[in-house]
Amino acid sequence: MNPLDFDTSQVFIGGVWRRGASGQTLPLVDPSDGSSLAEIARGTPEDVDAAVQAAQGALDGSWGALTATERGRVLMKMSALVLDQADELARLEALDVGKPLRQGRADAVALARYLEFYGGAADKVMGQTIPFAHGYTAFSLREPHGVTAHIVPWNYPMQIIGRSVGAALAMGNACVLKPAEEACLTALAFARIAQLAGLPAGALNVVTGLGEEAGAALAAHPGVRHISFTGSVAVGTLIQAAAARNAAPVTLELGGKSPQIVFADADLEAALPFLVNAGIQNAGQTCSAASRILVERSVFDAVVAGMAERYRALRVGPALTDPDVGPVISKRQQEVVEGYLALARDSGLHIAAQAHLPADLPALGCYVAPTLLADVNPAHRLAQEEIFGPVQAVIPFDDEADALAIANGTPYGLVAGVWTRDGSRALRLAKKLQCGQVFVNNYGAGGGIELPFGGVKHSGHGREKGFEALYGFSVLKTVAIKHD
Ligand code: NAD
């Protein structure tokens, strides 16, 4: 079965779809039932080199010749086409990632919104005039890096492509995109959309393939002048080391063990859906998943009971049936999550609730029962390590200082949520929490693409999303002219 109306086993280089240099392919598997979905090209270092050269050619040619306004218009056209095809893109993501249809559609709408936002912003990024010595005029220019690499994971392909490729194109860079080997279909569909919208050849190139092969070649390529990487801490470290050899700047968006902190004075009914959704959305495979729920002791039992009720009502099933929770991405990921659940049982952790897995789920699907663990010691591995599955640990705390120490007490620092009616406390915590985003009385702000996003500590560095990304995807040049 080929779910696209074109050959998925090709790379997209210099505006041309073609076989990869090796002629080899890799299988894509539908995690909902284990069936074979399509073949993708196994890109090689040779393909990566051709893609970098094509990107450089676009910068030296028709793409580099466009004005910022013209670049913005192309992005706007891409945005409109993505919206037109949102249902089809959601279907591809359901097949490829196991993402429930509603979530896939929301990702497609977010991709369109990124392209719209960055299309509109393309001609609104300005340098400054700088007050300087008599007889001089000094000013700064914002210029593209040149060829940018975009190495993305499988969990939110469309959103991550939107926020990194969208911003990079807006600033006039030419992109080489390496999607994850587990999920490539929407990246390939995105390239088709770019072509249809009239994006000049070479401005966007897509090389599918293995991380350690195509990904590593891209990260190490001397022609790449900026790398945007979203993925695991382990691979992020390799990417940064490779980039260092070429003195290329890197944006790293890595994992997390993000907390939501619930105080006794919070509106608990308002909080409950956010507490659960932020743990089970995309089967827990979200970098900013709230995998730790910290609850003030006096309302601990009430919050656990409220969350447990919601867990028991969760519908788990194949992505195309649009369940609350679909499969995880692969058998390998299923084994990882089940390993953590076995550890929870072996350590005698209290399982407060587990969603029901229907008996008629496809036998080869990668399903994991969403699991709520209560009263977890903050030092336990289940409360420290990123599981990347639908598992949440609820942890009691005594007071604000205790909550802060637990919240900051992991190697990660991506996102945090605070639920309280005490405005002073919310502000104090917003300043003291070690992370890149804090949400008060909500979590995620609906994905707000306008809100700069990124981590501290092992969650990475650099910011994507919002206007801030446009600074990251450009270089500041200073000009000082002596005229008197
Ligand atoms: P991963 O690091 O294994 O893979 C991510 C990408 O890197 C893929 O495209 C892969 O092919 C590529 N890659 C793998 N090895 C490589 C190498 N040696 N050189 C170059 N590229 C290589 O991560 P994953 O398992 O796909 O994704 C899960 C992780 O990503 C989790 O830790 C999650 O938290 C993180 N993540 C973070 C964010 C964020 O914005 N902070 C978003 C999504 C996922």
Side-chain angles (χ1 to χ4, degrees):
M1 171 192 175
N2 180 350
L4 287 179
D5 61 355
F6 69 104
D7 188 352
T8 59
S9 69
Q10 296 184 321
V11 293
F12 181 61
I13 297 176
V16 177
W17 291 96
R18 64 187 207 209
R19 304 281 291 167
S22 73
Q24 290 181 28
T25 59
L26 300 165
L28 281 184
V29 173
D30 178 349
S32 288
D33 61 11
S35 63
S36 293
L37 196 53
E39 296 286 318
I40 54 160
R42 178 175 172 171
T44 60
E46 202 179 321
D47 296 310
V48 167
D49 186 51
V52 172
Q53 288 193 33
Q56 189 57 53
L59 289 166
D60 299 336
S62 56
W63 175 237
L66 293 191
T67 64
T69 308
E70 289 166 336
R71 290 198 304 268
R73 284 194 189 124
V74 179
L75 289 176
M76 294 289 201
K77 273 192 204 158
M78 288 164 65
S79 170
L81 289 171
V82 167
L83 268 190
D84 284 350
Q85 298 187 22
D87 287 335
E88 177 58 9
L89 290 166
R91 193 182 71 87
L92 292 180
E93 210 74 299
L95 293 167
D96 206 5
V97 178
K99 195 179 287 257
L101 286 172
R102 264 168 306 159
Q103 289 174 24
R105 197 168 199 293
D107 285 5
V109 171
L111 168 58
R113 179 79 187 100
Y114 279 116
L115 296 167
E116 181 186 40
F117 181 87
Y118 289 123
D123 57 5
K124 295 168 191 69
V125 180
M126 296 169 201
Q128 294 179 321
T129 52
I130 302 164
F132 188 54
H134 289 305
Y136 283 86
T137 297
F139 57 92
S140 61
L141 299 169
R142 282 260 160 212
E143 298 183 338
H145 290 284
V147 178
T148 54
H150 304 262
I151 302 177
V152 308
W154 40 262
N155 57 348
Y156 286 87
M158 284 192 273
Q159 294 220 28
I160 295 168
I161 289 170
R163 75 186 191 204
S164 74
V165 172
L169 289 176
M171 292 311 294
N173 300 281
C175 305
V176 180
L177 167 62
K178 212 303 275 171
E181 46 271 52
E182 297 89 344
C184 292
L185 295 186
T186 50
L188 296 171
F190 177 71
R192 282 281 277 211
I193 285 171
Q195 236 182 337
L196 279 175
L199 185 75
L204 170 68
N205 306 275
V206 183
V207 180
T208 55
L210 297 172
E212 59 272 26
E213 199 170 21
L218 183 57
H221 199 292
V224 168
R225 295 315 312 151
H226 181 281
I227 303 175
S228 164
F229 171 79
T230 304
S232 60
V233 177
V235 176
T237 308
L238 295 175
I239 301 276
Q240 186 155 3
R245 284 190 278 278
N246 296 317
V250 179
T251 302
L252 295 181
E253 305 280 11
L254 309 177
K257 193 72 182 173
S258 297
Q260 289 201 59
I261 308 170
V262 186
F263 286 92
D265 70 346
D267 180 345
L268 298 184
E269 279 312 304
L272 278 171
F274 286 89
L275 301 182
V276 173
N277 285 347
I280 56 92
Q281 181 179 312
N282 207 37
Q285 305 162 116
T286 305
C287 50
S288 54
S291 47
R292 295 185 298 153
I293 304 296
L294 281 44
V295 185
E296 193 163 3
R297 213 172 278 281
S298 62
V299 291
F300 186 79
D301 289 345
V303 170
V304 170
M307 290 184 72
E309 192 184 326
R310 282 175 164 74
Y311 261 75
R312 285 190 279 269
L314 289 173
R315 204 166 47 86
V316 181
L320 287 177
T321 66
D322 201 19
D324 299 314
V325 181
V328 294
I329 186 72
S330 61
K331 280 284 160 201
R332 188 171 65 104
Q333 190 65 17
Q334 184 184 20
E335 282 162 19
V336 168
V337 181
E338 280 171 353
Y340 276 107
L341 292 179
L343 173 65
R345 277 189 295 273
D346 292 348
S347 335
L349 293 186
H350 172 48
I351 296 180
Q354 207 158 34
H356 169 68
L357 290 187
D360 60 353
L361 285 176
L364 297 180
C366 309
Y367 298 95
V368 180
T371 303
L372 184 68
L373 303 168
D375 228 342
V376 181
N377 183 321
H380 193 282
R381 283 182 58 202
L382 270 292
Q384 285 286 321
E385 297 175 14
E386 185 181 50
I387 298 171
F388 234 50
V391 182
Q392 284 176 293
V394 194
I395 302 167
F397 68 83
D398 293 315
D399 56 24
E400 189 178 314
D402 192 26
L404 188 66
I406 297 171
N408 287 341
T410 76
Y412 294 106
L414 193 55
V415 173
V418 179
W419 294 87
T420 180
R421 287 190 168 99
D422 180 338
S424 300
R425 175 157 60 197
L427 285 171
R428 274 195 303 276
L429 283 173
K431 290 186 178 172
K432 289 183 180 165
L433 283 162
Q434 296 166 351
C435 58
Q437 283 189 326
V438 178
F439 297 101
V440 177
N441 294 331
N442 77 94
Y443 193 76
I449 66 126
E450 301 86 348
L451 307 176
F453 175 74
V456 301
K457 303 196 290 188
H458 285 207
S459 291
H461 54 75
R463 292 293 176 265
E464 290 190 342
K465 303 178 66 167
F467 223 77
E468 198 65 29
L470 299 169
Y471 301 130
F473 281 111
S474 60
V475 183
L476 188 88
K477 178 188 279 175
T478 305
V479 182
I481 303 172
K482 182 150 176 37
H483 39 71
D484 295 338

